[in-house]
Amino acid sequence: MSVKSLKSPRLLLIYPATHKLGWVKYFQLPSLSLQQVAALTPPEWEVTLVDESQDPIPSGSQYDLVGITAMTHQATRAYELADKFRREGIKVIMGGMHPTVMPEEALAHADAVVIGEAETVMATLLDDFLGGRLEKIYRAPIAQDDRLDIPWSRREILAGKRYITTQTVQASRGCPYDCAFCTVTQYFGNRFRYREAADILAEIRSFPKKFVIFLDDNFLGDPAKARPILEGMTEMGIRWGSQTSLRFAEDPALLKLVAKSGCIGLFVGIESVEGSFSRLAKTAGETPQIELIKRVRDAGIILETSLIFGFDDHDPGIFDKTLRFVEECSPSVPTFNLLTPYPGTKLFQQYQQEGRLLHRDWSRYNHSEVVFRPKLMTPEQLYRGWMEARKEAYTWPAILSRVWKNPGRRLTNLAYNFMRKGPNDSLQVSDADQLSIYRPLPATEHLRGPEHAG
Ligand code: B12
């Protein structure tokens, strides 16, 4: 059926929620993915955003087309929602990281799937929909150049919702490092692609407050490209935060510029303190990580370091070694995650081939449950070690010692640590039992492969 005759077609975009959030729902960031999809939608469309953590799911009758985004842990809920709208006779399109790596699975619930970045395919998809010739797959080519040309995201679709801030932008996509546990290189290309500095600075200048969060994987990954953005922000008196790899701190002049440009916080993936995952291309440089962490900390920047437990060369000694590492370099906020082999990664492929995946319940691929059989530990040892490490890193003496060693922003540091302490303290082994992390998978489940997009 063609819907070309409709006056103003209506697109509903949904960010699925995996569980109910209390007051913290107002301390989240809005989905940039969907703001970007909205920006790619021609102006004749009426676009509505539903963030399920804040909004009820509406009836499909008010819309012509529904678009749903999904990371892996959101996929189960995304499929439930897609099924609901299709039962109401509304066509559903899906995109984002999970449908990108599992398009065949997503197509069991959606009429069309966007594989990869929507910028090059969204207009065609919507035109096809209006013309009644929607195809099943819209595959974006994997970008080969080092330029990123994307429209500014549409923030007005967030009206009426509350977030910690809506002032988020993305300066770059792509990554040359291709880590085994990450999908970014395969789907966003093996180069850092940056937007023009002038375009980013103009977008930041349009914000009412002098504050921005960059939702990049590695904002400082290419210092030559990041420098003009940093210089621009220095002149504008902006305060900002982002995710990056630590390597930038090898260059004292760059670290100085980062601090001077208004950086208040950085999130870095350390991943592992020993073994092969401590020497990843993205982190390995001349200077040991411990030294780089101290440098960033001493520059007065709040540093959140993410550490992962469960790699194949991790034995039960890894928990203590990691805690000693954290004690020595005292990053502002240490975060500990359970290794999660996401579909579409080399790790997922390996564990699947080795029959080590415990299940494919995507809602439990969330960094807080053991979903695979580790090599040098039992799943239970991994879960308990992770839980105990989180508690130990957030005892009051550990927190106060960290805050004391961080010269800048002591009160903010204390507040962050306090916010993390509660959830860490409340973890219990019974959670693991309740989540039945040790339930074995029927053998056939191991044989099904991820539907690769590449
Ligand atoms: C910013 C970010 C966050 C923010 C999210 C803020 C928010 N509310 O969205 C924060 C810090 C909160 C976060 C948290 C988590 N994140 Co995160 N995050 C990212 C990051 C760095 C960028 C995502 C982004 O906004 N990109 C900008 C947009 C514009 O790009 P995009 O999402 O790819 O969308 C484009 C296309 O995919 C497509 N598209 C997307 N959705 C849709 C929908 C439709 C209908 C269509 C047509 C197209 C389409 O069009 C867009 C434009 O091209 C990515 C890495 C990456 N490069 O993707 C990881 C990433 C998405 N995160 C990841 C993970 C694992 C998490 C956590 C689970 C981690 C944890 N320890 O808990 C949590 C989950 C939090 C939650 N809300 O449930 C993984 C997901 C892996 C997977 N297979 O699911 C990624 C890929 C990181 C990685 N390297 O593996 N994350």
Side-chain angles (χ1 to χ4, degrees), residues 11-19 21 27-38 40-41 51 53 66-75 92-101 112-122 125-126 138 140 150 153 163 168-170 172-175 181-185 188 213-218 243 267 306 335-338 340-345 365-368:
L11 172 64
L12 171 66
L13 295 175
I14 303 183
Y15 188 75
T18 47
H19 48 275
L21 298 171
F27 284 81
Q28 306 297 309
L29 293 171
S31 165
L32 189 62
S33 320
L34 293 178
Q35 290 174 72
Q36 213 58 39
V37 170
L40 301 169
T41 302
D51 177 342
S53 64
V66 173
I68 308 179
T69 188
M71 290 186 242
T72 294
H73 72 289
Q74 294 170 304
V92 173
I93 59 172
M94 294 188 84
M97 192 47 91
H98 192 79
T100 286
V101 301
V113 168
V114 168
I115 298 179
E117 298 168 66
E119 277 76 7
T120 53
V121 297
M122 192 64 191
L125 181 155
L126 292 173
Y138 290 83
I150 52 174
S153 56
Y163 295 100
T168 59
V169 297
Q170 195 182 29
S172 67
R173 287 184 190 162
C175 177
F181 50 81
C182 180
T183 31
V184 169
T185 300
F188 297 100
I213 296 186
F214 291 94
L215 294 184
D216 291 41
D217 283 301
N218 192 347
Q243 179 176 217
F267 179 98
S306 165
T335 307
F336 307 98
N337 288 302
L338 287 167
T340 304
Y342 283 109
T345 62
Y365 277 58
N366 56 17
H367 293 282
S368 306

Side-chain angles (χ1 to χ4, degrees), residues 83-156:
D83 294 345
K84 166 199 128 66
F85 284 107
R86 288 175 91 196
R87 278 195 303 273
E88 293 175 39
I90 312 298
K91 288 219 185 303
V92 173
I93 59 172
M94 294 188 84
M97 192 47 91
H98 192 79
T100 286
V101 301
M102 303 289 284
E104 294 304 327
E105 179 189 278
L107 273 175
H109 307 271
D111 297 284
V113 168
V114 168
I115 298 179
E117 298 168 66
E119 277 76 7
T120 53
V121 297
M122 192 64 191
T124 311
L125 181 155
L126 292 173
D127 201 47
D128 287 354
F129 169 75
L130 291 177
R133 49 174 189 275
L134 192 64
E135 290 179 16
K136 283 186 181 309
I137 298 276
Y138 290 83
R139 186 188 298 265
I142 294 179
Q144 302 298 333
D145 57 9
D146 61 359
R147 284 271 313 271
L148 179 62
D149 202 3
I150 52 174
W152 292 9
S153 56
R154 271 179 65 182
R155 285 183 187 77
E156 86 282 2

Side-chain angles (χ1 to χ4, degrees), residues 417-433:
N417 275 278
F418 181 66
M419 269 159 54
R420 291 293 168 86
K421 183 173 170 51
N424 286 342
D425 284 351
S426 62
L427 280 170
Q428 288 176 7
V429 176
S430 60
D431 288 348
D433 301 337

